[in-house]
Amino acid sequence: MGIGTSIFLLAVGAILTFAVNASVGGVDLDVVGWILMAAGVLGLVMVLLMRGRRRTVTTAEPVAYQRVEERRDVAPPL
């Protein structure tokens, strides 16, 4: 789950919890909203933790240069 998906889940959950006053038979929209917001927060925390643990390794040593010679006595392939 990415940052965008987490923020989307948070927004949809907040809308269902705080802005919608409709009732659907057998489904409590407030509970669904809270569950979506919890999933969004959990996903956001996990994404940020994984991003913090990602390390890039760079080497300070220069790349070894190789000499390349072109042979002109060989005919190119047909």
Side-chain angles (χ1 to χ4, degrees), residues 34-67:
W34 283 108
I35 291 171
L36 288 176
M37 285 193 293
V41 167
L42 182 65
L44 190 62
V45 168
M46 290 180 66
V47 166
L48 293 177
L49 284 176
M50 295 304 246
R51 180 176 285 182
R53 290 186 181 190
R54 187 181 310 166
R55 295 185 181 181
T56 56
V57 178
T58 58
T59 58
E61 300 172 8
V63 177
Y65 294 103
Q66 296 179 356
R67 184 177 181 125

Side-chain angles (χ1 to χ4, degrees), residues 3-17:
I3 292 176
T5 306
S6 299
I7 292 173
F8 177 75
L9 286 176
L10 278 168
V12 170
I15 289 170
L16 286 177
T17 302

